[in-house]
Amino acid sequence: MGESFGQWQMGCDEQAMPFIDQASIACGFHASDPTIMSKTIKLAIQHNVMIGAHPSYPDLQGFGRRSIPCSEAEITNLVIYQVGALKAMCESQNTEIRYVKPHGALYNDMQKDPLIFEAVVDAVSCFNVPLMTLAIQDKQVMLDIADNYDVPLLFEAFADRRYLSSGQLAPRSLPGSVIHDENEILDQVRQITHYGKVRTLDGYTISIDADTICVHGDNLDAVRMIEKIRTSINGDIGQ
């Protein structure tokens, strides 16, 4: 959330915020600016939503979706820089960040490369908050690295993205990688929350043990979907 920039508007944060528990707020490298960050923090406080930092590669033009070659030290520093900015903005409003979730290509790259994952963990260890990462079947390498830095992990699943049989997200370049049909999205959420499983793009069923479910708030259709997901989850809890 908070992915507008200057006069350019992105997303439907005001409509989405009442239905979520956690808001991953852009920190300026792929989107946002100090004023947008401040407004988004206020909105999260208003709706009692947990605030997370959403750092990325320095890629405004590509919305953080392009991998940028960086050394491990550079990745650690750019994450510290961005999270530190949001942390200061939160403290100015008497609140705090509660987790860190990298955005876009940085998120994807850290799933595939343990050195990048460790560079991110190193940065997050400065803030004494959990790191949010993809819920995959073989978590041990990530858990071992995080334990070395005393960083808790939050594992997330995606409501509107297809998976590969490896447990990784299907790249957006693949047809069908993004789910648009609302019944299919709700079915995937139920599969995750009820059974801890998900059907992959290539036809397999894999286990997925998640702490949180990622949804997107970048258009009105997505916001309506968030409301339905919220209603579905609340109904499951009520049962």
Side-chain angles (χ1 to χ4, degrees):
M1 306 192 85
E3 290 181 326
S4 298
F5 185 80
Q7 295 300 308
W8 182 75
Q9 297 297 308
M10 170 73 174
C12 304
D13 292 359
E14 291 185 1
Q15 293 93 332
M17 198 72 80
F19 302 105
I20 63 174
D21 302 304
Q22 300 164 311
S24 301
I25 299 177
C27 301
F29 272 29
H30 78 279
S32 200
D33 59 41
T35 299
I36 297 297
M37 290 162 69
S38 179
K39 289 180 179 178
T40 310
I41 291 166
K42 285 185 174 73
L43 189 62
I45 293 171
Q46 177 184 339
H47 292 282
N48 196 31
V49 170
M50 185 185 301
I51 293 169
H54 203 34
S56 75
Y57 287 123
D59 183 26
L60 277 174
Q61 289 82 3
F63 198 65
R65 289 180 175 165
R66 300 180 293 189
S67 294
I68 296 178
C70 296
S71 69
E72 288 82 30
E74 287 172 327
I75 290 171
T76 297
N77 290 332
L78 65 85
V79 171
I80 291 172
Y81 182 93
Q82 292 174 82
V83 177
L86 187 68
K87 179 176 185 289
M89 298 293 289
C90 284
E91 290 174 352
S92 75
Q93 299 188 42
N94 299 311
T95 190
E96 60 185 356
I97 62 165
R98 301 284 296 278
Y99 66 93
V100 175
K101 175 191 169 179
H103 167 83
L106 180 58
Y107 182 94
N108 293 332
D109 289 351
M110 78 176 188
Q111 313 299 331
K112 303 170 186 175
D113 188 334
L115 292 177
I116 294 177
F117 184 81
E118 183 168 2
V120 173
V121 169
D122 188 4
V124 174
S125 69
C126 301
F127 299 98
N128 297 312
V129 296
L131 171 64
M132 190 177 288
T133 187
L134 184 65
I136 59 175
Q137 292 177 293
D138 186 4
K139 303 174 181 176
Q140 198 56 52
V141 172
M142 291 192 296
L143 288 168
D144 289 344
I145 291 171
D147 283 347
N148 288 338
Y149 290 85
D150 198 24
V151 171
L153 297 180
L154 288 172
F155 291 100
E156 72 169 343
F158 282 71
D160 59 355
R161 293 289 303 278
R162 292 293 187 195
Y163 287 77
L164 301 176
S165 56
S166 64
Q168 298 289 342
L169 294 178
R172 288 178 179 269
S173 58
L174 289 180
S177 62
V178 179
I179 308 172
H180 297 287
D181 182 88
E182 67 176 44
N183 291 324
E184 291 183 19
I185 293 173
L186 289 172
D187 182 64
Q188 179 151 299
V189 170
R190 293 189 189 103
Q191 289 293 316
I192 293 167
T193 57
H194 281 217
Y195 307 110
K197 297 182 182 298
V198 70
R199 186 77 170 171
T200 69
L201 188 62
D202 40 0
Y204 294 89
T205 298
I206 60 172
S207 298
I208 185 167
D209 183 14
D211 302 303
T212 183
I213 295 176
C214 177
V215 293
H216 296 93
D218 54 0
N219 59 73
L220 285 174
D221 287 339
V223 170
R224 284 190 284 268
M225 197 68 248
I226 290 170
E227 184 176 358
K228 291 179 180 181
I229 291 171
R230 175 85 275 168
T231 300
S232 175
I233 291 175
N234 286 346
D236 293 341
I237 292 173
Q239 295 173 5

